[in-house]
Amino acid sequence: MTLSLQDIAEKLHTAQANATETSQLEEEISIDSAYEVQRLILDRRLAQGETYIGPKLGFTSKAKMEQMGVHNIIVGFLTDAMDHDPSEELSLKDLIHPRIEPELVFELGSAVEPVADESVEELAERIRSAVRKVAVGMEVIDSRYKDFKFNLADVVSDNTSAARFVVGQYQDFPRELAGLKVEFLINGEVVDSADTNAILGDPNEAFLELAKMIQKYGFHLPAGATILGGSMTAAQWLEAGQVIEARVETFEPLTLKVA
Ligand code: OOG
């Protein structure tokens, strides 16, 4: 049976809503079609009352590319329903097989819309200068696919596994972001470490990658948008009772308790 893009969106949306895993796509769809599926899922989430709050980048670090076997930068969407307050315990009840990863989070001061005939570098610079705040964050990813296995078209269709995110204390931007030490801890033990240059060799490059994806796929950047820059380390499985901590030099550490 060949599913239409609408059918694929429905299958993935239902898997997410019911927290049940589903099979990888049998259909060979193009990456453009996979972004179309993602938009159809966003339509469903907006129709159920969620609000779009910004884009997230994925596979901006070698650690993540190697862990998941996908070597292209991807973008997904975030909604208010994914925004978890880190002062509250995270329940795993509505998730399938969640993992967590440390990221940098940017907050836009003013909206950025692409304009005709602008170069990708110009758009990247406008995004960078619209960013007002930056924080340490953590993203909870929860692939809707069985065994957390996917190819590029699968993961783009599945809104890049986006599930939840938490944001630490915002700092003013611009500020120095390159070469800062990163530690990822579970129950007080360092389970992975990196530095912020794990993101594209310099986290400021995230704006260029985002600009490319916006010109290609039309992601919106409203005023106040939240942008996730992608994980700096491999992701870790989440389990009940854990205390997860992301530390990035010069920022307040961010802690999340799992219920
Ligand atoms: C896909 C999402 C990857 C990141 O930060 O690299 C991602 C996945 O690993 O399930 O968000």
Side-chain angles (χ1 to χ4, degrees), residues 132-192:
R132 292 283 175 275
K133 306 266 178 204
V134 59
V136 175
M138 291 191 266
E139 186 183 8
V140 176
I141 49 171
D142 192 28
S143 173
R144 268 54 70 167
Y145 298 110
K146 191 169 177 323
D147 301 330
F148 221 115
K149 289 216 171 80
F150 46 69
N151 62 31
L152 177 61
D154 292 330
V155 68
V156 168
S157 301
D158 184 27
N159 190 26
T160 68
S161 312
R164 301 280 187 280
F165 65 92
V166 286
V167 183
Q169 214 170 67
Y170 274 115
Q171 309 285 326
D172 290 338
F173 185 86
R175 70 186 265 123
E176 186 54 69
L177 288 183
L180 305 176
K181 203 169 134 203
V182 178
E183 283 183 328
F184 197 32
L185 296 88
I186 299 183
N187 300 335
E189 282 196 22
V190 178
V191 292
D192 209 340

Side-chain angles (χ1 to χ4, degrees), residues 56 58-59 64 68 101 103 139 141 148 150 160-161 230-231:
K56 56 151 283 191
F59 300 134
K64 278 291 305 187
M68 302 317 296
E101 46 192 36
E103 309 210 1
E139 186 183 8
I141 49 171
F148 221 115
F150 46 69
T160 68
S161 312
S231 183

Side-chain angles (χ1 to χ4, degrees), residues 23-118:
S23 56
Q24 282 180 250
L25 305 183
E26 285 168 27
E27 296 69 24
E28 293 227 341
I29 63 169
S30 66
I31 303 309
D32 286 3
S33 296
Y35 277 103
E36 179 58 27
V37 170
Q38 203 190 98
R39 263 191 299 275
L40 295 170
I41 295 173
L42 174 60
D43 289 346
R44 282 164 171 75
R45 296 192 68 150
L46 297 179
Q48 67 191 27
E50 294 177 39
T51 309
Y52 170 80
I53 57 172
K56 56 151 283 191
L57 288 164
F59 300 134
T60 49
S61 69
K62 276 210 181 73
K64 278 291 305 187
M65 288 181 178
E66 277 162 19
Q67 183 179 34
M68 302 317 296
V70 174
H71 293 81
N72 301 68
I73 292 171
I74 57 177
V75 185
F77 66 81
L78 302 170
T79 74
D80 60 337
M82 303 177 193
D83 188 357
H84 180 83
D85 177 351
S87 69
E88 289 178 9
E89 291 191 353
L90 178 80
S91 162
L92 303 184
K93 188 171 65 69
D94 300 322
L95 300 167
I96 305 167
H97 40 207
R99 286 171 146 158
I100 190 160
E101 46 192 36
E103 309 210 1
L104 291 175
V105 183
F106 301 94
E107 188 185 84
L108 276 192
S110 49
V112 180
E113 290 296 335
V115 295
D117 300 329
E118 169 182 48

